[in-house]
Amino acid sequence: MPTDLPVGIHDLTFRTTSLSLTHAELARHTGASLAKYHQGIGQRAMSVPAADEDIVTMAADAAAALMERHDPHKIRTLLFATETGIDQSKAAGVYVHSLLGLHPHMRVVELKQACYGAAAAVQLATALVHQNPAQQVLVVASDIARYDLDSPGEATQGAAAVAMLIAAHPALAAIDPVAGLYTRDVMDFWRPNYRTTALVDGKKSSDAYLHALDHAWADHQRRGGQALKDLYTVCYHQPFTRMAHKAHRHLLHTAGTVADHGDIDRAIAPTTTYNEIVGNSYTASVFLALASLLDGTALLDGVSIGLFSYGSGSVAEFLTARVTPGYRDFLHVAEHQRAVTLRREITYADYRRLRAHTPPVDGGHWDAPQTSPGRYRLTGIDRHQRLYASTTADR
């Protein structure tokens, strides 16, 4: 098995929901100053799912764009990362497999470890391609961040799905073999099976994030990883975008690098473009940051970048990747712009009505109102079975 074979992200795209709630609208309800949201946490809007949208519809929508460009018969594995699971047994990726009409000779698995799951999926996919360079792996990260109404976490909700094709000789970025890892048992964020919303200790979670960053970075350096000065920037997991700024300041200090606020903003702002208007997308967040960076105006041919993935509970990884020269020819910039600009802004009252809606959990029949303009929708639930369909509309 050739160890010098470049393997990594061959293609990447994302989709989100059809609705959005701005933080200006949220502020009118909460009475908080807009600066608390825009400057304090770095958020301007959050994606909100319609009644017929969920992690499957977003994931299928994102992955369909990749299937239009690539031969699906090269794909032998579909890895679906999420912490917004819809079934305790069946992988959400099986629904995506069906909606996309993929061939049957494929393994489909769901991965869960809070917001970290997609980074693990990418690494597992990379290993599979190294094992057989002729195959490709479809990795999907799809989540809906939901917290209790009128809670501190409500302003950091969001939703998105990122789909990535992992392959040899990748068109976008090759994943480096060295990674720094860290796991520690901590109750900073969790969602028991009987709850539909997460529980979070905000201060503990921020501290745990930075603690994990320190240790993952130290492990990365001990194993011969690239020095921080050799990285163009770092894409961080963004539960809210100001956390990425805070994390980068922390890492620079740990590495003994002096930088002012302007330096940090210039390094991190290009990675926050999508997250600040989509909100927290859990597993998809760090790769949404990568999409923001690649879709930006800076030419990144050949540069090395860092990625830090953190999942509460907690597991973290620091990895690096080298951007492939000519990558801009393979981006989905126009599609990504449409995904965020075509969302319909809703009022806070609309948002509360959506939150009040709960599909039946007793096995009863429910028809989802047709709201989403996307390619795929949740049509309803019957006898505890979720029902999906493709549509002729395109977002």
Side-chain angles (χ1 to χ4, degrees):
M1 183 173 66
T3 57
D4 58 348
L5 176 72
V7 175
I9 302 171
H10 190 51
D11 205 350
L12 180 155
T13 190
F14 79 86
R15 293 295 185 270
T16 186
T17 64
S18 61
L19 307 176
S20 69
L21 178 70
T22 69
H23 282 76
E25 176 67 12
L26 180 63
R28 281 189 281 272
H29 166 76
T30 63
S33 70
L34 198 52
K36 175 181 178 180
Y37 298 142
H38 286 184
Q39 283 79 48
I41 61 173
Q43 296 301 135
R44 295 184 173 274
M46 64 181 82
S47 287
V48 177
D52 55 348
E53 295 174 330
D54 67 3
I55 60 167
V56 168
T57 61
M58 290 191 298
D61 211 351
L66 299 189
M67 296 304 94
E68 291 171 353
R69 285 189 175 184
H70 305 281
D71 180 2
H73 290 91
K74 292 183 179 180
I75 300 171
R76 293 276 287 161
T77 302
L78 192 166
L79 301 176
F80 194 116
T82 186
E83 60 173 293
T84 321
I86 55 173
D87 193 288
Q88 290 288 69
S89 179
K90 184 176 181 177
V94 174
Y95 292 108
V96 174
H97 176 276
S98 176
L99 288 170
L100 296 180
L102 297 175
H103 67 86
H105 305 294
M106 184 182 301
R107 63 173 69 87
V108 180
V109 180
E110 184 169 309
L111 295 91
K112 179 186 70 178
Q113 171 39 47
C115 303
Y116 167 72
V122 167
Q123 292 288 34
L124 293 172
T126 299
L128 285 170
V129 176
H130 272 296
Q131 182 185 69
N132 178 6
Q135 73 169 301
Q136 298 178 343
V137 178
L138 177 60
V139 171
V140 181
S142 185
D143 267 307
I144 298 169
R146 183 178 286 118
Y147 300 98
D148 287 339
L149 295 169
D150 300 316
S151 70
E154 187 177 26
T156 64
Q157 297 177 125
V162 170
M164 294 172 279
L165 194 64
I166 308 301
H169 304 289
L172 296 184
I175 302 296
D176 294 326
V178 177
L181 303 172
Y182 184 69
T183 293
R184 178 175 71 120
D185 184 4
V186 56
M187 295 301 290
D188 59 324
F189 173 105
W190 67 105
R191 182 172 70 85
N193 288 337
Y194 50 82
R195 286 185 60 92
T196 58
T197 55
L199 298 165
V200 60
D201 182 329
K203 177 63 166 62
K204 180 186 283 188
S205 193
S206 293
D207 290 345
Y209 181 118
L210 298 177
H211 178 86
L213 174 59
D214 280 341
H215 286 268
W217 172 253
D219 186 49
H220 181 265
Q221 293 300 285
R222 279 194 301 269
R223 295 174 185 276
Q226 292 189 67
L228 188 57
K229 65 180 178 60
D230 296 328
L231 301 179
Y232 178 83
T233 191
V234 180
C235 296
Y236 293 91
H237 166 56
Q238 297 172 19
F240 50 92
T241 65
R242 277 295 160 190
M243 190 67 211
H245 292 256
K246 185 175 182 178
H248 198 55
R249 185 180 306 111
H250 185 86
L251 183 59
L252 288 170
H253 177 76
T254 298
T257 302
V258 177
D260 60 25
H261 288 289
D263 295 329
I264 294 168
D265 286 346
R266 282 187 291 274
I268 299 304
T271 73
T272 65
T273 307
Y274 294 135
N275 280 296
E276 71 179 10
I277 56 176
V278 167
N280 191 1
S281 54
Y282 290 161
T283 56
S285 171
V286 67
F287 296 102
L288 206 62
L290 177 60
S292 294
L293 179 66
L294 296 177
D295 286 358
T297 57
L299 185 62
L300 305 174
D301 285 11
V303 307
S304 291
I305 57 174
L307 296 101
F308 177 67
S309 178
Y310 173 76
S312 293
S314 65
V315 177
E317 179 166 351
F318 193 99
L319 62 151
T320 57
R322 182 178 181 273
V323 179
T324 306
Y327 74 98
R328 295 188 71 85
D329 294 336
F330 302 94
L331 299 177
H332 297 257
V333 180
E335 295 172 38
H336 294 165
Q337 290 299 315
R338 285 196 297 271
V340 294
T341 59
L342 293 183
R343 292 174 301 167
R344 178 171 62 86
E345 290 186 8
I346 59 175
T347 66
Y348 188 80
D350 293 332
Y351 157 73
R352 292 291 289 241
R353 280 191 288 271
L354 282 167
R355 286 292 302 267
H357 159 75
T358 54
V361 295
D362 61 356
H365 180 83
W366 171 71
D367 291 320
Q370 186 163 358
T371 304
S372 173
R375 302 188 199 202
Y376 307 99
R377 59 183 298 268
L378 172 68
T379 61
I381 297 176
D382 187 59
R383 290 172 293 177
H384 299 293
Q385 300 175 46
R386 298 177 79 85
L387 308 174
Y388 294 94
S390 60
T391 68
T392 57
D394 192 1
R395 189 171 301 174

